[in-house]
């Protein structure tokens, strides 16, 4: 058996990454969550080939990976998209997490004696706290890799919830660990609420300020080597987390807010930065899930009490705790249909975050911490298998999905250019005045740059005959006039590029 800390670490690491990427390709083909396969690869190698059991290293790598994942998730989120769902998203990320933890804790406390386990309510609440948030890595990767559109603003709602609810679960976990190890100073409910408010306020403010500082610095520094912009932004990510934690704020919330700020501002080298962090985020997800798979002891997962309690917790969380919490949090918001509420209840995926939070009891020597970790791990696998494989199917079943059209033109505008790029598909109304390009009435300072027909691209001329289904790349300085023209032509599906 290899020792992960020995001289074979580079060889083993390369082999693990290669196998994980191949597993990801298999997962995509069969509709399974790629992250579940990454976890499985780690467990498989940990079973016979690699000896690895470092709590501190696993927690450290998980912390770094989570910072990158949350920042990239925020950077890829349009504030215009989440604005309509800001209220319900915040409700799910705060009250939803608390309700889920309390409901699940009550269930664990009641069920544990039936399987011969003595789990007091504080311990049950600690277990439930680690599992109370949806996992941003799982939700981001599954929703974005499926290329499936969701009605009623459900995708931005789910991404906002999963990206911002980790701080609440983290604070609940830390609070319960302190209570069970007598290191919390016996803080009462009032002090706990005050601590939560301070953490969230400081975290949000710090994230916003660091995000604005990052944007200002990147736009002003004018680096000759453009590759260093990625390094500079990485420094700001880790600074946002560490500085916020130093001033008693929530670092994970700060990182997510900083990503939102950076992603929704004009930024030098924004497209290369987006491409870099997309790839780097996948690397972090793979490494994190592989290490968690290596860390777990497969024999302990097969113990009867772990199997029974893990399956019971996983099933209750999916079928009862999550739906009740979602329905309660979304009750004040009348713009969601019953089917939309049901879908939000279903897409409450658990992933790496609950497993990482379950490491804190082990690090602090909490009684029965190993049992808690194994139950959380098994419940997470159940969530990924049951919910992760049915994200698309459930959306289709509830009539909430639509095919998300991919752009035929992979182009980007320079951040200082005022012109707007759009992509439209030629319809019958557009050709009523004539078949050629010059016979189509467009606003002044508007130009059809390129045509895509059956996968072939060409630059059109005025005499070029257009056909139904042609995709046009249009540039204009008169965005509002062009939008009106599109409406007059009956074109509703307009893709804004750049």
């Amino acid at each position: 058996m290899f020792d992960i800390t020995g001289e074979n670490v580079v060889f083993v690491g390369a082999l693990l990454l290669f196998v994980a990427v191949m597993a990801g390709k298999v997962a995509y083909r069969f509709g399974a969550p790629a992250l579940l396969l990454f976890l499985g690869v780690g467990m498989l190698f940990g079973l016979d080939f690699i000896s690895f059991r470092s709590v501190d290293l696993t927690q450290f790598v998980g912390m770094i990976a989570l910072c990158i994942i949350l920042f990239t998730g925020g950077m890829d989120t349009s504030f215009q998209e989440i604005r309509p769902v800001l209220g319900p998203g915040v409700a799910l990320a705060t009250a939803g997490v608390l309700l889920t933890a309390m409901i699940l804790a009550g269930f664990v406390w009641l069920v544990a004696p039936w399987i011969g386990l003595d789990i007091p309510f504080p311990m049950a609440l600690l277990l439930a706290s680690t599992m109370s948030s949806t996992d941003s890595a799982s939700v981001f990767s599954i929703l974005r890799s499926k290329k499936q559109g969701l009605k009623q603003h459900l995708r931005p709602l789910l991404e906002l919830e999963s990206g911002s609810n980790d701080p609440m679960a983290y604070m609940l976990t830390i609070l319960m660990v302190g209570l069970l190890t007598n290191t919390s100073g016996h803080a009462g409910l009032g002090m706990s609420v005050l601590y939560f408010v301070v953490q969230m306020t400081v975290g949000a403010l710090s994230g916003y300020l660091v995000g604005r500082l990052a944007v200002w610095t990147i736009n002003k520094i004018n680096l000759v080597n453009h590759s260093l912009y990625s390094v500079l932004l990485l420094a700001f990510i880790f600074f946002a987390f560490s500085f916020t934690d130093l001033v008693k704020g929530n670092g994970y919330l700060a990182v997510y807010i900083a990503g939102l700020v950076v992603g929704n501002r004009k930024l030098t080298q924004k497209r290369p930065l987006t491409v870099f962090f997309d790839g780097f985020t996948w690397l972090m997800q793979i490494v994190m899930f592989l290490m968690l798979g290596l860390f777990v002891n497969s024999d302990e997962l097969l113990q009867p009490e772990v199997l029974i309690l893990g399956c019971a917790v996983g099933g209750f969380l999916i079928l009862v705790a999550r739906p009740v919490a979602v329905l309660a949090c979304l009750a004040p918001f009348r713009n969601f249909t019953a089917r939309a509420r049901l879908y939000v209840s279903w897409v409450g995926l658990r992933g790496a975050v609950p497993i990482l939070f379950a490491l804190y009891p082990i690090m602090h020597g909490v009684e029965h911490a190993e049992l808690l970790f194994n139950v959380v791990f098994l419940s997470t696998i159940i969530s990924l298998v049951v919910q992760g494989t049915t994200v698309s199917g459930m959306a289709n079943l509830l009539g909430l999905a639509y095919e998300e059209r991919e752009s035929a033109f992979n182009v980007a505008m320079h951040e200082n250019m005022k012109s707007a790029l759009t992509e439209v598909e030629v319809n019958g109304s557009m050709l009523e005045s004539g078949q050629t390009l010059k016979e189509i009435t467009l606003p002044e300072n508007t130009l059809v740059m390129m045509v895509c027909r059956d996968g072939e691209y060409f630059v059109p001329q005025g005499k070029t005959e257009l056909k139904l289904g042609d995709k046009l790349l249009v540039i204009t300085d008169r965005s509002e006039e062009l939008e009106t023209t599109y409406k007059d032509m009956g074109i509703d599906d307009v893709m804004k590029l750049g």
Side-chain angles (χ1 to χ4, degrees):
M1 182 175 284
F2 285 110
D3 184 355
I4 196 70
T5 61
E7 60 184 5
N8 297 309
V9 64
V10 176
F11 172 75
V12 173
L15 183 61
L16 281 170
L17 287 176
F18 178 79
V19 174
V21 171
M22 293 300 104
K25 182 176 178 63
V26 173
Y28 181 80
R29 177 171 296 181
F30 291 98
L35 303 179
L36 177 63
L37 271 293
F38 301 154
L39 200 63
V41 170
M43 292 178 64
L44 179 63
F45 275 75
L47 192 63
D48 295 315
F49 302 104
I50 299 172
S51 176
F52 175 73
R53 195 68 178 174
S54 174
V55 178
D56 292 334
L57 181 59
T58 304
Q59 192 271 337
F60 175 76
V61 171
M63 178 187 70
I64 296 297
L66 193 56
C67 285
I68 300 298
I69 292 166
L70 287 173
F71 180 85
T72 305
M75 191 176 176
D76 290 343
T77 300
S78 168
F79 190 74
Q80 289 183 341
E81 291 183 357
I82 68 171
R83 190 193 300 272
V85 294
L86 201 55
V90 172
L92 288 171
T94 52
V97 171
L98 183 59
L99 277 173
T100 301
M102 296 302 295
I103 295 169
L104 184 59
F107 173 77
V108 172
W109 181 61
L110 291 173
V111 167
W114 290 84
I115 55 179
L117 292 173
D118 181 21
I119 299 180
F121 187 77
M123 184 68 184
L125 186 54
L126 172 59
L127 189 156
S129 297
T130 63
M131 298 203 66
S132 57
S133 67
T134 57
D135 185 61
S136 54
S138 302
V139 173
F140 286 150
S141 63
I142 291 176
L143 288 180
R144 296 182 182 184
S145 64
K146 294 295 183 181
K147 303 294 185 184
Q148 183 182 51
L150 296 173
K151 300 175 183 177
Q152 301 186 44
H153 298 287
L154 288 182
R155 194 166 97 167
L157 172 62
L158 291 166
E159 292 185 347
L160 173 61
E161 179 201 6
S162 66
S164 59
N165 64 5
D166 293 334
M168 184 69 175
Y170 172 77
M171 286 189 292
L172 284 175
T173 301
I174 295 300
L175 185 66
M176 294 311 302
V177 167
L179 180 66
L180 289 168
T181 56
N182 295 319
T183 58
S184 61
H186 302 287
L189 178 62
M191 287 301 297
S192 298
V193 172
L194 179 61
Y195 176 68
F196 166 75
V197 172
V198 170
Q199 281 256 309
M200 297 295 280
T201 303
V202 173
L205 181 61
S206 176
Y208 176 78
L209 293 176
V210 173
R212 290 297 302 269
L213 179 61
V215 171
W216 183 85
T217 304
I218 290 173
N219 287 339
K220 295 293 185 180
I221 196 170
N222 193 24
L223 295 172
V224 176
N225 187 343
H226 291 174
S227 300
L228 292 178
Y229 282 106
S230 300
V231 180
L232 181 60
L233 192 51
L234 270 176
F236 275 108
I237 295 172
F238 298 133
F239 175 78
F241 178 84
S242 56
F243 173 77
T244 305
D245 188 66
L246 187 65
V247 296
K248 307 304 180 183
N250 191 284
Y252 293 121
L253 179 62
V255 167
Y256 181 72
I257 296 295
L260 270 175
V261 173
V262 171
N264 287 274
R265 296 270 174 176
K266 288 187 176 181
L267 194 69
T268 299
Q269 299 295 311
K270 189 171 188 177
R271 184 171 178 80
L273 285 171
T274 302
V275 173
F276 170 82
F277 276 96
D278 185 51
F280 193 55
T281 297
W282 272 106
L283 175 62
M284 289 292 98
Q285 289 177 167
I286 292 173
V287 170
M288 179 172 62
F289 275 78
L290 285 175
M291 289 194 70
L292 291 173
L294 289 171
F295 182 86
V296 71
N297 188 327
S298 301
D299 293 334
E300 294 178 359
L301 291 179
L302 300 178
Q303 294 177 356
E305 61 271 20
V306 174
L307 281 175
I308 297 173
L309 186 58
C311 292
V313 167
F316 185 83
L317 182 62
I318 294 170
L319 299 175
V320 180
R322 167 73 178 178
V324 170
V326 168
L327 292 177
C329 290
L330 295 185
F333 304 98
R334 303 297 182 182
N335 53 331
F336 293 104
T337 64
R339 291 180 299 170
R341 296 167 197 266
L342 179 59
Y343 186 72
V344 174
S345 302
W346 186 255
V347 188
L349 283 84
R350 270 58 189 176
V353 172
I355 302 174
L356 287 173
F357 288 170
L359 289 172
Y360 284 95
I362 298 177
M363 294 174 63
H364 291 84
V366 175
E367 189 179 2
H368 304 307
E370 291 284 348
L371 172 66
L372 184 150
F373 176 83
N374 290 321
V375 169
V376 170
F377 194 96
L378 184 58
S379 301
T380 296
I381 291 178
I382 291 172
S383 174
L384 285 172
V385 170
V386 175
Q387 295 170 295
T389 57
T390 55
V391 169
S392 296
M394 186 62 73
N396 290 322
L397 182 65
L398 295 173
L400 296 169
Y402 64 88
E403 186 177 353
E404 196 173 57
R405 186 164 65 90
E406 292 189 47
S407 172
F409 304 97
N410 186 18
V411 295
M413 297 284 287
H414 191 277
E415 55 270 9
N416 293 328
M417 293 181 67
K418 305 299 182 183
S419 302
L421 275 177
T422 56
E423 177 187 329
V424 294
E425 186 172 316
V426 175
N427 61 7
S429 177
M430 184 182 289
L431 301 178
E432 286 180 354
S433 58
Q435 301 288 322
T436 61
L437 181 58
K438 64 183 179 182
E439 293 174 301
I440 296 176
T441 303
L442 294 172
E444 292 184 4
N445 298 334
T446 300
L447 178 68
V448 177
M449 300 170 60
M450 190 168 291
V451 177
C452 175
R453 178 181 297 164
D454 299 326
E456 299 292 331
Y457 296 84
F458 59 90
V459 177
Q461 298 177 347
K463 61 183 179 181
T464 300
E465 290 190 6
L466 299 178
K467 298 182 179 180
L468 291 175
D470 283 353
K471 295 180 177 61
L472 310 182
L473 179 62
V474 185
I475 188 171
T476 185
D477 290 335
R478 307 282 184 91
S479 299
E480 294 183 0
E481 292 182 33
L482 184 59
E483 287 181 11
T484 302
T485 302
Y486 285 150
K487 290 180 181 179
D488 293 340
M489 293 178 178
I491 299 175
D492 297 322
D493 190 7
V494 180
M495 295 188 69
K496 295 182 179 180
L497 308 178

